[in-house]
Amino acid sequence: MDETVVSQSQVKAIKKDVVIVGGGMVGAASALGLAQLGLNVAVVEAFEPTPYSSEQPVDIRVSAVSLASEQLLERLGALKRLSSMRRAPYLGLETWELDGFITRFHAQQVGVSHLGHIVENRLIQLALWEQFDSYDNIELLCPAKVKLFTRHEEGVRVTLDNGVTLDSRLLVGADGANSQVRSWAGIGLTGWDYAQSAMLINIKTDCPQQDVTWQQFTPQGPRSLLPLPGNHASLVWYDDASRIAQLTQLSNTALAQQIKLHFPDRLDREFEVLQKGSFKLTRRHAQSYYRDNLVILGDAAHTINPLAGQGVNIGFKDVDALISTVSRAMSKGEPWWEEAALRSYQQSRYKDNQLMMSAMDLFYAGFSNELLPLKLLRNAALKVADIDSPVKKYVLKYALGL
């Protein structure tokens, strides 16, 4: 890390308690949570989300927002606005490989009305941004990018490309997988690239909105469906990177034919492909979540196999933990921007994130092996897991963040 210390007298800087680099879902949620504690917060973001219109096509970038994440959004004041836009509730989750060997989770098993909602990432961000106007202690700098980080006597100085300079006690990196903040802090990464890519495909069907999200494992990778509002659904096709690259070159009509050949029969056969996109599967985990006067969270700290749709949810868990850590330190009159508090934030999240990432890797690897004994064993395990039990309820509650 560049430990250059800049004298306060050299530059005229705007003083903030917290500067957050990245105004996406995780960064915006962090800003609201910290502002609710009375802190003076600045958010730096390069791009503003497009205003909502019900006429807009559903974006291909969606998240399965868990109940715990919804509770956080409600505390931040964003859930009501999000509910007035569009989202699709899901009540059930089903996973199988061979017909007849299926594991099913349902909201009724844990006494809740739903397991979560499938929501466009852009709309989550927009609902959070619309809450900024309710706080005089949040300043949004957009469009703006970071030009330079330096240290000053009381924390970190952030110089923007528009000439604005900010001094903060705490710098928060919520700037994604290629985080500038993490790179400047000299925080290393562990991880690898998976051999597969994932293709996201939005379709319009003749069937009304579904309330179950499902996933079938195949030798080439999972095939998944996420319900979307109206007669729409999001398909996720995992496969070899070269195969996904080939599929992205097809016309929507030709792609629809390939989907009919390779997705399970429970997918409505009458559908139209509307949009498509793809990304490579990677795993990255920061070796630390903090440095002096600095924390990272969300994708800046970890990128996870999207197999169980937990990416945004563990990011929101990071936000919740950071807010709680800062609040606890403030209530005790302790410096919330110093190492003791920041180490406490890391301790509350690092092992939990590591566990979730490792569990997804074991699940992924276990279903990628075509050895017959292992195949029979894992399908028997799915069949057994479908039996209602305290363990099944515990697993479901953990996935929901309850």
Side-chain angles (χ1 to χ4, degrees):
M1 183 190 298
D2 180 4
E3 293 294 337
T4 303
V5 177
V6 179
S7 169
Q8 293 279 14
S9 61
Q10 290 179 286
V11 180
K12 183 67 174 179
I14 302 170
K15 289 190 175 183
K16 299 289 181 181
D17 294 315
V18 182
V19 171
I20 299 173
V21 179
M25 297 181 288
V26 168
S30 301
L32 290 168
L34 295 172
Q36 286 179 344
L37 299 179
L39 298 176
N40 223 331
V41 180
V43 180
V44 179
E45 173 55 46
F47 304 102
E48 183 176 353
T50 305
Y52 172 69
S53 166
S54 60
E55 304 302 315
Q56 294 165 336
V58 178
D59 197 84
I60 61 170
R61 297 174 65 244
V62 299
S63 293
V65 179
S66 71
L67 283 180
S69 294
E70 289 184 356
Q71 290 168 0
L72 173 65
L73 292 171
E74 184 171 25
R75 294 199 304 273
L76 299 178
L79 188 61
K80 183 177 180 180
R81 174 59 178 134
L82 192 59
S83 302
S84 71
M85 292 189 274
R86 60 187 176 205
R87 55 183 186 154
Y90 62 98
L91 281 62
L93 170 64
E94 300 179 4
T95 299
W96 77 98
E97 181 178 18
L98 300 177
D99 290 340
F101 297 84
I102 188 169
T103 296
R104 289 164 290 203
F105 296 96
H106 198 276
Q108 291 178 346
Q109 294 168 343
V110 287
V112 294
S113 61
H114 59 283
L115 299 181
H117 283 83
I118 309 298
V119 193
E120 295 158 70
N121 292 357
R122 178 180 65 85
L123 299 187
I124 300 172
Q125 180 190 16
L126 185 61
L128 290 163
W129 274 45
E130 290 182 2
Q131 301 308 305
F132 288 172
D133 291 339
S134 302
Y135 295 89
D136 293 335
N137 52 335
I138 295 180
E139 182 178 1
L140 175 63
L141 297 109
C142 178
K145 296 182 180 179
V146 174
K147 181 179 179 182
L148 180 68
F149 297 107
T150 50
R151 288 205 167 272
H152 67 94
E153 290 92 333
E154 297 179 359
V156 178
R157 172 162 292 168
V158 182
T159 303
L160 306 182
D161 60 356
N162 59 9
V164 172
T165 301
L166 305 165
D167 279 353
S168 66
R169 287 177 167 178
L170 181 67
L171 173 64
V172 176
D175 49 345
N178 299 314
S179 170
Q180 268 186 289
V181 174
R182 187 189 65 231
S183 178
W184 175 72
I187 297 174
L189 290 170
T190 59
W192 54 81
D193 295 335
Y194 298 98
Q196 291 192 318
S197 292
M199 189 173 191
L200 306 176
I201 309 159
N202 279 4
I203 63 172
K204 183 177 181 180
T205 74
D206 286 344
C207 294
Q209 178 181 309
Q210 302 185 45
D211 62 7
V212 172
T213 177
W214 51 255
Q215 181 167 251
Q216 181 187 29
F217 286 91
T218 76
Q220 293 75 35
R223 309 284 185 261
S224 307
L225 177 140
L226 307 175
L228 294 177
N231 287 35
H232 294 83
S234 172
L235 304 181
V236 189
W237 186 335
Y238 298 82
D239 214 312
D240 178 84
S242 60
R243 172 65 167 149
I244 294 298
Q246 178 189 43
L247 291 170
T248 59
Q249 300 303 312
L250 297 178
S251 68
N252 287 354
T253 302
L255 178 58
Q257 293 303 315
Q258 288 296 311
I259 292 169
K260 291 174 183 178
L261 288 172
H262 295 283
F263 268 68
D265 290 339
R266 70 180 293 175
L267 175 65
D268 176 28
R269 298 291 98 178
E270 298 301 321
F271 65 85
E272 175 189 0
V273 171
L274 301 178
Q275 294 173 288
K276 58 182 182 286
S278 64
F279 60 93
K280 293 182 178 180
L281 301 183
T282 62
R283 167 178 166 149
R284 298 287 186 271
H285 200 189
Q287 294 173 353
S288 173
Y289 290 178
Y290 73 97
R291 288 287 189 265
D292 294 340
N293 305 96
L294 177 152
V295 294
I296 56 174
L297 65 174
D299 284 353
H302 42 72
T303 56
I304 185 174
N305 191 312
L307 205 58
Q310 288 297 309
V312 69
N313 293 313
I314 64 174
F316 281 146
K317 284 184 178 180
D318 292 348
V319 173
D320 207 9
L322 180 62
I323 295 168
S324 296
T325 299
V326 171
S327 176
R328 190 163 51 248
M330 291 176 69
S331 67
K332 295 178 180 178
E334 297 173 353
W336 47 267
W337 59 91
E338 292 187 354
E339 181 180 353
L342 304 183
R343 184 172 61 248
S344 176
Y345 157 70
Q346 173 170 290
Q347 289 171 344
S348 69
R349 293 300 304 138
Y350 200 93
K351 288 183 179 179
D352 188 56
N353 288 341
Q354 186 78 33
L355 177 63
M356 179 64 77
M357 296 170 79
S358 298
M360 290 304 98
D361 287 339
L362 285 172
F363 207 62
Y364 178 83
F367 279 90
S368 299
N369 195 310
E370 280 299 287
L371 287 174
L372 183 59
L374 182 57
K375 190 170 187 175
L376 293 173
L377 181 63
R378 68 192 180 220
N379 279 277
L382 286 174
K383 185 73 171 179
V384 171
D386 195 41
I387 300 171
D388 281 338
S389 68
V391 173
K392 184 176 183 179
K393 291 180 180 179
Y394 174 81
V395 170
L396 183 54
K397 284 186 175 183
Y398 180 79
L400 298 177
L402 300 177

